[in-house]
Amino acid sequence: MELNYTINDLDKVVSTLLSNSDSKIILFHGTMGVGKTTLIKALVKAIGSTDEVQSPTYSLVNEYQASTSRIFHFDLYRVNEIDELYNIGFEEYLQENHWVFIEWPELAIDFIPENATNVFLEINENESRKITIK
């Protein structure tokens, strides 16, 4: 599924993404500045958390509390070695029945279940975004 959107369409995009995801594990692909964290902020809010969402670039993972679930937000941009994922217990996060959002998931691909939802983001020429959900 593909959609073009602007920041004003985020609620619609989030609703579409949540209804088209077969998994609570969602992988976010796209270049720096494409809007991965902005989309995750909207997802966290839609799931029911009032926590402030920030990119976990330096902490690797942030945790948010929703009414019925926890949400784990990973940013693996600065991870250089797979051992770093073992050291933070990455596998355990994936085995719980909570939401897991992963930016820059390429290094962790061997850990990711096959049914995870992949989200690909691109910037269009007019500065709108294109999202592809697989």
Side-chain angles (χ1 to χ4, degrees):
M1 163 173 283
E2 287 185 3
L3 291 170
N4 288 304
Y5 70 97
T6 66
I7 194 83
N8 297 327
D9 303 319
L10 268 181
D11 290 341
K12 179 179 129 186
V13 170
V14 164
S15 177
T16 300
L17 175 53
L18 290 174
S19 64
N20 285 283
S21 180
D22 294 331
S23 173
K24 285 186 168 184
I25 299 171
I26 303 178
L27 313 177
F28 295 84
H29 306 268
T31 59
M32 188 80 65
V34 76
K36 295 181 293 293
T37 302
T38 299
L39 181 55
I40 290 171
K41 285 179 183 182
L43 281 164
V44 168
K45 180 180 175 187
I47 292 169
S49 177
T50 58
D51 293 343
E52 183 179 338
V53 176
Q54 297 179 2
S55 179
T57 301
Y58 296 101
S59 62
L60 296 184
V61 62
N62 287 344
E63 179 179 342
Y64 313 112
Q65 187 64 49
S67 56
T68 60
S69 181
R70 288 187 289 172
I71 303 163
F72 298 104
H73 176 194
F74 288 88
D75 184 332
L76 304 182
Y77 181 74
R78 297 195 185 284
V79 174
N80 296 313
E81 301 288 329
I82 202 160
D83 284 346
E84 292 177 64
L85 298 178
Y86 285 111
N87 290 341
I88 63 167
F90 184 75
E91 291 173 290
E92 294 170 25
Y93 289 99
L94 300 175
Q95 294 170 358
E96 297 182 21
N97 190 29
H98 296 290
W99 290 96
V100 178
F101 301 146
I102 306 171
E103 297 183 52
W104 306 99
E106 291 76 17
L107 182 67
I109 211 69
D110 289 341
F111 294 99
I112 308 295
E114 287 183 24
N115 70 331
T117 299
N118 283 278
V119 173
F120 298 89
L121 297 167
E122 298 175 46
I123 300 176
N124 294 322
E125 287 182 20
N126 64 358
E127 297 301 315
S128 67
R129 302 303 195 255
K130 175 179 156 184
I131 184 172
T132 305
I133 303 167
K134 294 183 181 182

